[in-house]
Amino acid sequence: MRALGERALEMVIHHFATRRDLPPATTITKSDAAARLHTELPEEATPPEQLLDLLAREVFPNAFHADHPRFYAFVPSPTNFVSAVADFLVSGHNLFAGHWLASSAASQIELTVLEWLCTLCGMPAGSSGIFVSGGSMANLSAIVTAREVKMGAHDARAVVYCSDQTHSSLFKALRVLGFARDQRRLIATDASLRLSVPALRAAIEADLAAGRRPLCVVANAGTTNTGAIDPLHEVADLCAEHDVWMHVDGAYGAAAALTPRGRALLDGIERADSITLDPHKWLFQPYELGCLLVRDPRHLVHAFHVGDDDHADYLADVARHVQANVNFYDRGIQLTRSAKAIKLWLSLRAFGLPAFREAIESGFLQAEHAERVLRASPSWEILTPAQMGIITFRYRHADLSPADLDAVTAWAVDRMRLEGRALIMSTMLGERPALRLCTIHPAGTLDDVERSLAQLHGFLEAEAALLQTPLD
Ligand SMILES: Cc1ncc(COP(=O)(O)O)c(C=O)c1O
């Protein structure tokens, strides 16, 4: 155990020490992957050291490193070593965190961390929640809860509202839960890509007039595309007026509530009935860690409680010994679940809040620096300014049509991924691709941002020149 553990520890330390020098994103082909890794069923034992070597050689390098300081694509996942240690400890002790009887102390830790997050979001005393695998599960659990609390059963007249910038996980959740396409309303956004409240009001009123049942509004607290925050107070007012559940998808952005400026930007989030927050995004935790915060945890129990009708016969003793009403299997979908909260608890306590605040603030500062650099050159057009650690922009070239610019952008993004020192990818804004940086790695520097943009610019210029070169 010791030899294997020390080997594994060395590998992880090496990764943390050298990740800045690795290529941020490597992908191999299917045939290559199969040649290196596929075997028949292992009837024979292999020394585990040999297998660790195989993992070190073939698996860990051939990946996207979302914890790389110059990984600016999607939502990066900068992690920390203390939380990685927690993951090892928790799986080494294999804590079952499904109910109080089995995991009283770990349940207390989960409750405590949930209370911290609710407090940081400004939610009232008594708010709580549950840790889940990530934003997708949290959003799904929120819709289940809204439906159970507001309607008690599925109703084909129910309608869910969200902006056209909402993350795809919500639409997947609605599909899983049996909502038809005509039970969702995609509300237009304004020029800043924030949900238009007049359009939301009009949609709710039209649905009411048509005999539909407005169930839930999902507001964004930091969209994945641009970091936009929907007008949370106005959404809350409208939800209160029509007795509609307010869910905030803050999977990406809600963690910014730890900082004074993030808290100010997120003003109104505290009025939500439920909030999705992903610590495996801007709270520097290894996958998988998301959570659903609710202003009234009884709502979760109402939605997920396993009762006598559910034939949970062998859980009867467990149910008898529940304390403070907390059996986490009664707050969510999973029965068997790991003690996920421990890594966040350990790192928050080990580093202290100020270190987290500084790390989050660095995400804001890097995106703002990117904006300054981009504005200083005529080669760039800013599409959305730095907000919540995200900026979107486009390459400009007087001699290229929009279609050619889009093609050049796609080629340069590919070259950046294959040869670049940073991972920068694109998203779609409206009908056209946009370049995008999400700069939340606290080990990322302003110099990293400048040099990465310079390299991207070089690739774009080279691709543009190639496009303009006559074939003969
Ligand atoms: C705003 C938002 N919501 C939900 C999700 C889904 O979260 P997960 O990938 O953790 O399931 C994401 C993921 O990027 C996101 O950015």
Side-chain angles (χ1 to χ4, degrees), residues 4 40 93 138 231 249 310-311 317 349 355 359 370:
L4 195 62
E40 297 307 319
H93 290 84
D249 185 353
D310 303 311
H311 300 282
D317 294 337
R349 291 209 52 184

Side-chain angles (χ1 to χ4, degrees), residues 426-437:
S426 64
T427 185
M428 294 298 289
L429 285 188
E431 298 298 308
R432 289 190 57 202
L435 291 159
R436 174 179 171 282
L437 296 185

Side-chain angles (χ1 to χ4, degrees), residues 75 134-136 139 167 169 222 224 249 251-252 278 280-281:
V75 177
S136 302
N139 282 341
H167 190 269
S169 58
T224 324
D249 185 353
Y252 171 67
D278 270 0
H280 68 202
K281 294 186 166 68

Side-chain angles (χ1 to χ4, degrees), residues 6 14 28 40 50 258 269 319-320 340 386 422 437 450 455:
E6 281 171 3
H14 180 74
I28 56 177
E40 297 307 319
Q50 217 171 299
L258 268 74
I269 196 171
R320 262 191 312 119
K340 288 179 182 300
L437 296 185
E450 279 173 34
Q455 191 174 40

